[in-house]
Structures are given as structure tokens and as C-alpha cells.
Amino acid sequence: MELFERPTGGEKALLVHLDLPRERDREDLDEFRDLADSAGADVCGAVVSSRHTPEPRFFVGSGKAQEIADRVLAEGVELVLFNHDLSPSQERNLEALLKCRVLDRTGLILDIFAQRARSFEGQLQVELAQLRHLASRLVRGWTHLERQKGGIGLRGPGETQLETDRRLIGQRIKQLNRRLEKVQRQRFESRKSRSRAEVPTVALVGYTNAGKSTLFNRRTASGVYAADQLFATLDPTMRRAELPDGRRLVLADTVGFIRHLPHDLVAAFHATLEEAREADLVVHVVDASSEDRDERIREVESVLGEIGAQETPRIELFNKIDRLDVGPRVDRDDEGEIRRVWLSAATGEGLELFDDTLAEFFRQQTVHARLRLPPSGGRLRSLLFAEGAVINEDIDEQGRFLLEIDMPEVRYRQLCSREPALAEYVR
């Protein structure tokens, strides 16, 4: 196998996109071009092809792979970006043929995340995702050792180096997991304090570049970076806000989602995405002007389901109406509940409807109930105390816990969905 020097730059990039028949395998070329731009690549063109299934060796056919190699040589391309996930062997084969760096869709997204993460927590999460992705691709950096068949001084260095790298990466992953667990505990304590103070949390979620950070800045007067690009902000930000009726709440701006969000990123950002799962209300911010609006809504709902936030109450917020011929409004369901708000975070048009929607949602009756928990119900008792819901407690002759609770209805519903036995103990 011929060797080549892998350049450290990689700004001049060629995109490769394969049209596949199955919906779950398809990717958006325009979105991929935006990803490349967000990463700082100088895109010089794109190679588009169609296949029924990916080719095992080069992902694209051998003829198309040679066409890409010719363009790389003729145009001085430093980096070839594939709008798909490549196997380690496909990456290795393509780099050997093209004589330049090859990066797949997941690798590109990870690179953007590495550039944008600013907080300590965000940097830990990105590094963890990168290491998990790298662990399956270690072999490609040691192809020069594959030709060593033994002999004096040449026995086994490749295998030894690979095993050393795997061990070091494994140790680092364990270290990062321990640090993120500590962050997770700190977040839990913060949520518990907010619950005791009866300060509800509203999590802003949505497809990347839907306008979450712009809305967040409008509502909290914060200076969170917001730009018309994919993944402009990554680090979770939380700010207190006050509604016109005087009610206080906490707004959480979370990382944006994207089609086929890499699983390693979902796993790494689990601590951050917990804010959506544990929030009192999820506001799903949607770019109303996007041609792929419905598909992007489904992608976000899929990720919310993956992190266990499907039961959290949510309201859709259709943003960027300044790009459409529609005015601000509120849509309600058959029962009169608000399901959708139309506004423009950029111009502020309709922002008062968002405030009114939050005020109406949290203007609900609190649940006041008395529970009789068996002696084995200690875990549920601890959960209720952690929520700050217990206002009185006693123990009867049978050792049962007699609890009087008072808590927001939305939190009670969430707890009942996680602990179905709770309703059985109401007396």
C-alpha cells in the first residue's frame, strides 16, 4: 500500500453525495454543503451519484471513485467529504486511492462541535464523542505496519501500538464519563433547588438554525451567540426570566438537532439533553420557512424520544414568520389548549403571544393529595422529597408513610408517568 502525507489543513474540500432509494438512508446535499461551510471548508464542488446500495469497498462505485481521484489531483483538493457514514475500511480504502484526507458526515459534525464548544462541559462531551468515533478507526493511522511480516526487530509493533492506543483511549473515555457524571449530579442538584423554589423550567429545543438562541436572547436579554449557520451555539445556557404576570421561570437553550444526528453525540450530550427531559415544558422551535419543515419536526421528535422526553409537555413555536406571508397567531386544539405559536424571534413580532402562552400554561391548579406509602415505598418517598412536594409526613402503626403533598400539576403528571404506582397510593 502506497503511503502519503496527510495534510493538516483540509480547507479546500470536495463533497460526495450518493442518492440512495431508501428514505432512511437519504441525506440532504444542501444541508451538507451548509455543514461544510460551518466547519470552515472551502467547497470547490460536489460529485453526485446514484446507487441502489453502497459499494462495500469505496461506498461509491470504483469508476466514480476514480473520477473523484482525478478531480482531487486536478483541482488540488485537500479533503473529500462524504455525505454519509463510512465504515473504517471504506475510509481507509478511499484515502489510499485519493491520496488525501477523507471525512464522513459524522466526522464532519464532530469537527464542527469541537470548534464551537466553549464551556468545560461542552468540551468534555465533544471529546467523549470524538474518542468513541475514533476508537473504531484506529487502524487507519497504522497502515504502514500492515506489511511487516516479522523478523528481527519487526515483530508485532503494529499490534502493540494499536493495543496501547485502545487502552489509552479507553482510560480517557472512563475519565470523561466520571467527569460528566459529576456534571450530571450538579445539574440534578440545581433542578432540585429550582423545584423547591417552585421555579419551572422551559427547555427550547429544535432543529439546528431554527432560531432557538435568537428567541432565547429576545426573552432573557442574554448575549448568547446567534448566527444564520448550523450549530452556531452548542453549550447549554440557562437564564431566569419573568413573565408579564410576575411569574418567574428558567429558560434553557439546548444544542440543536440535525437529520441523522450521530449516535455518539446523542450519548455524549445526554447530560445536557436531560434539561429537555426534566423540564416542565418543552418549546419545540421550528423554522416555519423551511421547505423540509415537517421532516425536521419528525427528526427532533425522534431524538426527544431517544432521550426519554416524549412524555414532557410541549408546545410548537413556528419561528421566522417574517420570511412568510403570515402574521403572528396562536393555534389551539379541540379542547382549547395551545398547541402552536407563530412569531418572529428576529423582529420580535408576536413575542407577546409567546409570553401569554407560557403564562397560560403555568397558570394551572397545583395538585394537593394525601398518600399512604407502604414501608417498601422509600424510593418513591425520596423522589417526592427531592421534588420539594412533601408538606407534611407521619407514620402509622403498620409503618406506612402518610404523606401530604402539594406540587405543580405538570410535575405531578410527569412523576406519575415515570412512577405509575404513585396514583395507587392516593388515599
Side-chain angles (χ1 to χ4, degrees):
M1 182 180 295
E2 188 177 352
L3 302 180
F4 64 93
E5 290 295 325
R6 299 180 64 186
T8 57
E11 286 80 13
K12 189 170 185 180
L14 179 67
L15 308 185
V16 178
H17 175 81
L18 195 62
D19 282 328
L20 297 168
R22 292 190 300 181
E23 177 65 29
R24 65 185 180 89
D25 295 329
R26 293 178 187 168
E27 301 293 358
D28 187 330
L29 179 57
D30 291 336
E31 180 179 84
F32 190 59
R33 194 184 299 273
D34 290 340
L35 282 172
D37 291 339
S38 296
D42 179 14
V43 178
C44 62
V47 175
V48 179
S49 180
S50 298
R51 285 183 65 90
H52 184 68
T53 58
E55 198 267 341
R57 187 180 182 192
F58 294 120
F59 194 84
V60 295
S62 56
K64 186 62 65 174
Q66 187 57 53
E67 177 187 332
I68 296 170
D70 294 340
R71 288 195 61 174
V72 167
L73 182 61
E75 302 178 25
V77 172
E78 299 171 289
L79 174 66
V80 176
L81 299 172
F82 275 73
N83 191 17
H84 311 273
D85 285 335
L86 301 175
S87 70
S89 63
Q90 286 169 339
E91 267 192 34
R92 196 160 59 247
N93 294 335
L94 285 163
E95 287 191 340
L97 175 67
L98 305 180
K99 305 296 188 296
C100 73
R101 293 171 57 224
V102 173
L103 205 61
D104 66 0
R105 180 183 174 85
T106 294
L108 178 62
I109 294 175
L110 287 172
D111 182 81
I112 296 172
F113 273 54
Q115 292 182 45
R116 303 282 166 76
R118 293 291 179 267
S119 71
F120 175 69
E121 178 188 358
Q123 290 170 352
L124 288 179
Q125 291 169 330
V126 171
E127 184 181 353
L128 179 59
Q130 286 180 313
L131 289 176
R132 285 172 171 166
H133 185 64
L134 177 63
S136 65
R137 284 161 163 75
L138 278 176
V139 67
R140 73 176 182 182
W142 299 94
T143 54
H144 62 290
L145 297 176
E146 292 177 357
R147 295 173 296 175
Q148 297 182 355
K149 303 299 184 182
I152 297 175
L154 296 177
R155 292 187 178 93
E159 182 180 358
T160 301
Q161 183 63 59
L162 286 173
E163 291 303 320
T164 299
D165 287 349
R166 288 194 182 102
R167 177 172 51 81
L168 292 175
I169 287 180
Q171 291 175 350
R172 180 60 177 166
I173 286 176
K174 290 180 181 178
Q175 184 183 38
L176 291 173
N177 278 323
R178 285 196 296 268
R179 291 185 178 182
L180 285 172
E181 285 174 4
K182 183 177 181 181
V183 171
Q184 195 171 4
R185 288 195 298 269
Q186 292 171 341
R187 285 188 175 278
F188 174 76
E189 292 300 325
S190 297
R191 283 194 296 269
K192 189 163 63 172
S193 298
R194 293 197 301 268
S195 176
R196 286 173 178 157
E198 295 186 354
V199 179
T201 300
V202 177
L204 303 180
V205 305
Y207 208 82
T208 183
N209 204 29
K212 297 185 305 300
S213 296
T214 302
L215 176 66
F216 185 84
N217 288 336
R218 278 277 183 183
R219 197 56 201 80
T220 63
S222 300
V224 173
Y225 178 68
D228 186 16
Q229 60 181 200
L230 304 186
F231 301 120
T233 54
L234 290 181
D235 297 314
T237 307
M238 306 188 74
R239 295 286 188 275
R240 287 184 178 268
E242 186 171 322
L243 298 177
D245 63 0
R247 183 186 297 271
R248 294 180 303 153
L249 54 82
V250 171
L251 274 183
D253 186 16
T254 62
V255 63
F257 301 158
I258 197 171
R259 180 178 172 83
H260 296 160
L261 187 67
H263 180 73
D264 287 338
L265 280 178
V266 176
F269 278 79
H270 190 269
T272 300
L273 295 174
E274 268 194 346
E275 293 299 339
R277 189 184 69 189
E278 299 296 333
D280 298 285
L281 174 66
V282 166
V283 174
H284 181 176
V285 182
V286 179
D287 180 356
S289 65
S290 172
E291 295 179 356
D292 301 325
R293 183 176 71 192
D294 294 339
E295 182 180 345
R296 292 182 174 188
I297 290 175
R298 288 193 295 269
E299 289 292 333
V300 172
E301 292 295 333
S302 174
V303 176
L304 289 175
E306 189 172 346
I307 64 174
Q310 65 271 20
E311 298 297 330
T312 306
R314 66 173 52 85
I315 293 173
E316 289 183 344
L317 189 149
F318 273 34
N319 189 27
K320 303 187 181 182
I321 62 170
D322 52 300
R323 301 182 181 181
L324 303 171
D325 188 22
V326 297
R329 71 172 190 266
V330 171
D331 295 341
R332 297 177 181 269
D333 60 17
D334 294 338
E335 298 178 357
E337 299 288 336
I338 295 178
R339 293 304 176 208
R340 184 174 297 164
V341 182
W342 298 70
L343 57 75
S344 171
T347 66
E349 186 182 14
L351 193 63
E352 70 282 355
L353 297 180
F354 178 52
D355 290 343
D356 294 342
T357 295
L358 295 180
E360 180 176 329
F361 179 84
F362 289 112
R363 200 182 301 124
Q364 301 180 55
Q365 296 293 325
T366 59
V367 172
H368 189 92
R370 289 179 171 81
L371 308 177
R372 182 183 287 111
L373 300 183
S376 60
R379 189 177 68 85
L380 184 55
R381 171 182 174 274
S382 298
L383 286 175
L384 290 168
F385 270 99
E387 290 283 342
V390 180
I391 59 176
N392 192 25
E393 180 186 30
D394 202 354
I395 299 178
D396 65 10
E397 297 81 0
Q398 286 77 37
R400 293 174 297 188
F401 302 104
L402 307 180
L403 304 179
E404 185 178 1
I405 64 170
D406 190 271
M407 63 190 304
E409 182 180 354
V410 62
R411 299 296 293 175
Y412 179 78
R413 290 201 306 266
Q414 289 176 337
L415 193 57
C416 284
S417 67
R418 299 202 307 266
E419 304 289 339
L422 176 60
E424 300 176 7
Y425 298 134
V426 176
R427 59 189 176 98

